[in-house]
Amino acid sequence: MTYAIAVRELCEFTAKSGDLDLRFTPSPTGLEGMEGHAAVRARRAASYQAEITLSGAHRNLLVRGRADGYDPVLNQLEEIKTYRGPLDAMPANHRALHWAQAKIYAHLQCRALALTTIRVALVYYDIAQRTETLLVETCDAAQLEQHFHKLCDGFADWAEQELLHRSTRDQALEALPFPHADFRPGQRQLAVTIYKAAIQERSLLAQAPTGIGKTVGALFPLLKACHRKELDKVFFLTAKTSGRQLALDALGMMAGRCQASTAPFLRVLELTAKEKACEHPDKACHGASCPLAEGFYDKLPAARLDALELARMDKAELRKTALRHQICPYWLSMDLAQWSDVIVGDYNYYFDASAMLHGLTAARDWRIGVLADEAHNLLERARAMYSAELSETDLLSVQRTSPPTLKRALGGLLKQWRDAYRDQEAHYQAYTGLPAKFLAALLRASGAMTDHFAEHPADAEGALQRLHFDILYFLRLAETFGGHSIFDISLTDGAPPVDIKAGNTGRQGAVFCIRNLIPAPFLEQRYAASRCTVLFSATLNPWTFYRDTLGLPADTAWVDVESPFRPDQLQVRIARRISTRYAHRAQSLTPIARLMETQYRKRPGNYLSYFSSFDYMRQVADEFARLCPDVPVWRQTRSMDERDREGFLERYTDDGKGIGFAVLGGAFSEGIDLPGNRLIGAFISTLGLPQVNPVNEQIKQRMDSVFGRQCGYDYAYLYPSIQKVIQAAGRVIRSREDQGVVHLIDDRYGQSRIRALLPQWWQVEYDNENGDRGGVHQ
């Protein structure tokens, strides 16, 4: 068997050495890099050959790539690198990597043209100064062949191991049994549908109720499809840490059913955020500061080998392995992503603008399958990923302490900033386009900051660097600004007053935002890079809403998995004579508290009561405590940390009694599992509609404009609200043995268009004024 590998990948594996060094070095953007290559080629003779496809084999390897250029007159093979700042500031191990790549291309060119000698050139192009630095070596073909063989030999044994692992993995997955004695009700339907989507290489939206084992039901069929569809990797992406743990446990259970060899047949990697994995947050990421960055690439091969022997490369095990080899756990995990079969991590690792997994997929040409758990969260998460904010307060703070070389550029930016909102009267205003003069000033400030960092790399940290990164991302989104986003300006309180000379006396500063409303255009390329993408959740209804806003392909399949629960397990009762509208809240406090009292006296136990805001929650909780001082009550508070959240949930014991008060859409509305008597009921005193505010009104208008069908209100308000309601209600019934009740407290739940959005298996009943059972709606 032959292992195909790119020239760059081979060199990074075999020729990279020394320290990990992540000190900020101003590097060209992708567009600037392409322009730099084009500028170099434009200076060459007409006979110059660009982008030459080359390949060569040695042992079990097929090495391939594209050389930047070849001058047949000079017999010179060129590797072009663009850069900013002083060239002598480039780390020596970077230069060594560049030479390794150039000499492999030179060898492949010698082989292709039967040359006995060739000039090998590194062309460093300064994109700011538009100048070239040429480093040239004349090499014999025999020397280059030895260099090529040496690097190949350094990878060939690893390649042999990888080929063997892939063969073993595919055979094991082909024979992999389902990890349980049988499928749960609904689980088989989910698994079969996902398998078919994988085989057909289609995207899938799958609505599947809580309690059927969605995690196993999604992973198992995609793993079974790996061999048939030649998938290199499966990405299991989650919105929350709890979802990652469920996936890791499910994969461990499946691996336990198949003992293919002494080594793990399935390499499972958990990706953890850098700030959570960092061992020395007080140190910079380079060898002179952090001991775990020193000699990183020299220690990496042994650490990599050890890690791949682990049954599961989760956060805890990777930390042990990394520290045993004295290297950084986070960057070890980044390397291991290349050699893993299943990668479990947050949405941002694949869907974000600069997502690492998507970048590797494109660079390595991987065949992948993607599973996105709790996918109802992806819309808001993706909106945040493709939005950018700049604060005048931050700019003023940085300007005061900025070096003299930046004062002029930042001052010019501040002037254009204030001019952009000079005539704005409203606190919030959305605009159809971006202010051209402001963008020009932003570009000038970014260029000045980049040049400054190039000359003074020690300044590339703290508030100045953060502002620079914020500006760079704002400019990046400005390049793709369109109908999917708006530009808005919010006047803020508490910022220093603007300069009187600017003509804006009394203004308190502003926040500029490129706000994404419809992430579909950005996410489309993510689906295109995957052979099969499955978005699954208990709440994806109506599916057209998610297909439209998330940009799924036109041929995306849809399945609504049958619920395993019986209608008699859950009483769903609508209090249709209570209004929770803002204008009626004062009158609703006592009726809601009385309804809760009636239910609790009827069946004492553990309940959750949800509200639209902390203020509303507090008012009803106070009223309930006044009416029922004997009933234990505990409340969610703003900004609860992890320990506080755990304490809240610890009140829910099998023999416990009382009512927890929480905010709908918050930490206790989804992602918590309280089976059996730990939770026997919920009160939802709100329709969950998002607040009517200028931003949501912009979403409504944009949805109407882009999708038509007068769907703006539903897309901006109704569907997101019902999704939160169903998620909260889903906390009550977690297994086929559970029995519980959900009270939907608002007269609007009686509307037929609202009821149509509720789960089909619910049997909805109506309360009369005193809380007794009234009519029944099937």
Side-chain angles (χ1 to χ4, degrees):
M1 296 177 65
T2 301
Y3 190 104
I5 186 170
V7 170
R8 179 170 180 171
E9 187 180 353
L10 174 64
C11 292
E12 287 181 346
F13 189 92
T14 57
K16 218 169 186 179
S17 61
D19 295 350
L20 178 68
D21 192 345
L22 298 177
R23 280 174 287 194
F24 178 75
T25 52
S27 57
T29 65
L31 180 61
E32 288 174 330
M34 289 188 288
E35 290 174 347
H37 278 67
V40 171
R41 291 195 295 267
R43 299 175 179 183
R44 301 301 187 254
S47 59
Y48 188 79
Q49 300 168 15
E51 298 289 325
I52 309 162
T53 300
L54 297 167
S55 65
H58 177 67
R59 292 178 59 180
N60 56 357
L61 300 181
L62 174 62
V63 182
R64 55 195 182 191
R66 285 190 300 180
D68 290 329
Y70 175 67
D71 187 330
V73 176
L74 297 175
N75 187 28
Q76 181 167 294
L77 189 289
E78 296 186 341
E79 178 72 6
I80 303 169
K81 300 295 182 183
T82 56
Y83 73 100
R84 284 183 180 273
L87 184 58
D88 56 10
M90 183 177 291
N93 57 357
H94 288 201
R95 184 77 55 80
L97 187 61
H98 299 161
W99 273 120
Q101 290 177 232
K103 290 182 177 181
I104 284 188
Y105 285 125
H107 161 70
L108 297 177
Q109 183 74 335
C110 285
R111 178 181 287 184
L113 300 180
L115 302 174
T116 58
T117 187
I118 192 171
R119 287 163 54 93
V120 185
L122 282 182
V123 182
Y124 286 107
Y125 182 77
D126 186 327
I127 61 168
Q129 303 300 322
R130 301 185 182 279
T131 57
E132 290 180 34
T133 299
L134 201 66
L135 307 178
V136 182
E137 288 186 16
T138 300
C139 300
D140 292 335
Q143 294 175 324
L144 293 172
E145 184 175 40
Q146 289 177 2
H147 169 76
F148 177 70
H149 288 172
K150 179 182 178 182
L151 294 191
C152 286
D153 289 340
F155 188 80
D157 290 340
W158 183 267
E160 189 67 35
Q161 170 187 290
E162 289 302 292
L163 290 169
L164 177 61
H165 168 74
R166 179 61 174 265
S167 176
T168 303
R169 185 205 77 169
D170 287 348
Q171 291 176 29
L173 290 179
E174 189 80 8
L176 183 67
F178 190 68
H180 300 294
D182 200 0
F183 288 90
R184 296 182 190 178
Q187 195 177 41
R188 181 185 293 276
Q189 182 188 5
L190 175 66
V192 168
T193 308
I194 290 176
Y195 184 78
K196 288 180 178 178
I199 296 303
Q200 296 169 5
E201 297 191 358
R202 296 175 65 187
S203 293
L204 171 69
L205 274 166
Q207 179 169 271
T210 299
I212 69 166
K214 292 194 295 292
T215 303
V216 172
L219 277 165
F220 178 73
L222 196 54
L223 290 174
K224 293 292 286 185
C226 279
H227 178 51
R228 184 169 171 185
K229 300 308 296 183
E230 298 181 342
L231 297 183
D232 298 307
K233 301 181 188 300
V234 169
F235 301 156
F236 189 98
L237 308 172
T238 70
K240 298 181 179 179
T241 304
S242 57
R244 294 210 307 267
Q245 191 58 50
L246 287 172
L248 292 169
D249 292 344
L251 288 161
M253 182 170 49
M254 282 187 275
R257 295 294 305 273
C258 184
Q259 299 298 329
S261 67
T262 54
F265 81 93
L266 194 65
R267 296 171 177 169
V268 177
L269 172 68
E270 178 187 15
L271 294 179
T272 307
K274 184 179 179 182
E275 58 269 20
K276 293 183 179 179
C278 182
E279 291 290 319
H280 299 290
D282 59 323
K283 295 179 172 58
C285 290
H286 58 83
S289 175
C290 180
L292 301 183
E294 186 178 4
F296 177 88
Y297 292 108
D298 302 323
K299 303 169 189 174
L300 177 60
R304 181 194 293 133
L305 272 172
D306 275 4
L308 293 178
E309 293 296 318
L310 295 170
R312 184 166 85 185
M313 295 181 285
D314 60 16
K315 177 184 175 182
E317 292 299 325
L318 278 181
R319 179 177 183 271
K320 292 178 189 175
T321 302
L323 295 183
R324 190 164 60 247
H325 291 271
Q326 280 298 290
I327 65 171
C328 174
Y330 175 76
W331 289 105
L332 172 61
S333 72
M334 295 298 101
D335 176 84
L336 291 169
Q338 300 176 72
W339 318 110
S340 301
D341 302 306
V342 182
I343 300 175
V344 180
D346 189 88
Y347 290 159
N348 66 285
Y349 283 106
Y350 187 72
F351 291 113
D352 197 85
S354 55
M356 180 268 288
L357 290 179
H358 178 260
L360 283 173
T361 297
R364 306 291 196 249
D365 199 24
W366 288 339
R367 295 174 62 92
I368 64 165
V370 176
L371 297 169
D373 190 15
E374 300 294 350
H376 61 274
N377 290 298
L378 184 55
L379 175 58
E380 285 305 316
R381 286 288 303 276
R383 281 173 172 163
M385 290 174 194
Y386 295 96
S387 297
E389 266 191 4
L390 292 175
S391 165
E392 185 174 347
T393 303
D394 293 343
L395 174 59
L396 284 165
S397 176
V398 168
Q399 187 202 29
R400 290 193 191 97
T401 59
S402 64
T405 54
L406 295 179
K407 292 286 187 184
R408 182 175 180 181
L410 294 179
L413 172 59
L414 186 59
K415 180 182 183 305
Q416 293 302 328
W417 189 305
R418 290 166 173 171
D419 283 350
Y421 70 85
R422 177 192 300 272
D423 299 322
Q424 180 171 316
E425 296 296 331
H427 177 270
Y428 171 91
Q429 183 69 51
Y431 298 87
T432 55
L434 296 161
K437 290 183 178 179
F438 167 73
L439 283 182
L442 205 61
L443 276 167
R444 288 193 293 272
S446 174
M449 294 168 83
T450 298
D451 292 341
H452 175 78
F453 290 145
E455 296 293 333
H456 305 89
D459 289 353
E461 58 183 30
L464 183 61
Q465 186 192 65
R466 286 194 298 273
L467 177 63
H468 187 218
F469 286 163
D470 289 344
I471 288 174
L472 288 174
Y473 192 57
F474 195 97
L475 288 169
R476 179 177 178 181
L477 289 182
E479 292 176 358
T480 59
F481 186 78
H484 46 71
S485 301
I486 59 172
F487 170 67
D488 58 42
I489 299 176
S490 300
L491 304 185
T492 60
D493 297 324
V498 300
D499 192 341
I500 294 176
K501 295 179 182 179
N504 291 319
T505 306
R507 293 294 175 83
Q508 297 295 304
V511 173
F512 286 12
C513 181
I514 294 177
R515 191 182 307 276
N516 180 255
L517 307 181
I518 306 171
F522 297 106
L523 299 183
E524 285 169 355
Q525 58 184 306
R526 301 301 189 260
Y527 310 130
S530 171
R531 302 292 167 169
C532 172
T533 302
V534 180
L535 309 184
F536 62 100
S537 168
T539 48
L540 289 177
N541 186 39
W543 73 280
T544 50
F545 166 63
Y546 292 96
R547 182 199 62 191
D548 290 348
T549 55
L550 296 177
L552 286 149
D555 68 343
T556 295
W558 158 253
V559 62
D560 188 358
V561 177
E562 232 177 273
S563 173
F565 306 131
R566 306 179 311 278
D568 62 5
Q569 285 185 258
L570 181 68
Q571 296 178 51
V572 181
R573 306 180 67 172
I574 293 177
R576 57 181 174 177
R577 289 182 173 83
I578 300 176
S579 168
T580 64
R581 294 172 180 84
Y582 186 80
H584 305 148
R585 285 184 183 171
Q587 297 95 319
S588 73
L589 304 182
T590 300
I592 292 172
R594 289 289 186 195
L595 185 152
M596 293 170 60
E597 178 188 19
T598 299
Q599 175 61 46
Y600 185 85
R601 302 300 184 197
K602 179 180 178 181
R603 187 186 174 192
N606 291 320
Y607 292 85
L608 263 167
S609 191
Y610 296 100
F611 299 87
S612 56
S613 68
F614 280 99
D615 185 55
Y616 195 20
M617 178 194 79
R618 177 187 56 78
Q619 294 177 55
V620 177
D622 288 347
E623 178 66 7
F624 181 81
R626 184 185 69 80
L627 292 173
C628 308
D630 60 309
V631 179
V633 166
W634 52 97
R635 311 182 191 193
Q636 180 182 359
T637 59
R638 299 177 192 271
S639 305
M640 293 178 91
D641 60 24
E642 189 170 345
R643 180 174 296 180
D644 291 335
R645 291 194 296 270
E646 289 174 356
F648 185 97
L649 294 175
E650 284 171 0
R651 302 291 296 267
Y652 289 90
T653 60
D654 285 331
D655 57 352
K657 290 181 176 63
I659 300 179
F661 286 76
V663 173
L664 189 70
F668 305 112
S669 292
E670 61 177 277
I672 61 171
D673 194 20
L674 302 170
N677 289 328
R678 293 182 65 191
L679 182 67
I680 63 170
F683 308 93
I684 304 176
S685 301
T686 174
L687 194 62
L689 291 171
Q691 183 183 21
V692 177
N693 59 35
V695 173
N696 286 330
E697 284 297 287
Q698 285 293 323
I699 295 175
K700 175 178 176 289
Q701 293 171 23
R702 190 57 54 90
M703 295 297 182
D704 271 336
S705 172
V706 173
F707 300 118
R709 307 190 302 274
Q710 295 299 305
C711 63
Y713 173 80
D714 290 347
Y715 276 29
Y717 292 101
L718 183 58
Y719 297 156
S721 73
I722 297 301
Q723 171 254 304
K724 288 187 288 186
V725 169
I726 297 172
Q727 279 290 329
R731 301 311 96 202
V732 177
I733 302 298
R734 309 296 293 176
S735 74
R736 299 181 71 188
E737 292 74 40
D738 287 358
Q739 295 281 337
V741 61
V742 170
H743 289 270
L744 303 177
I745 305 172
D746 191 282
D747 60 317
R748 288 166 290 184
Y749 284 113
Q751 298 174 9
S752 58
R753 69 190 302 253
I754 303 297
R755 292 199 308 269
L757 296 172
L758 302 178
Q760 294 182 6
W761 69 275
W762 285 7
Q763 181 173 291
V764 180
E765 305 172 350
Y766 296 102
D767 289 344
N768 62 23
E769 289 184 69
N770 60 19
D772 296 327
R773 181 173 297 183
V776 176
H777 173 78
Q778 295 285 88

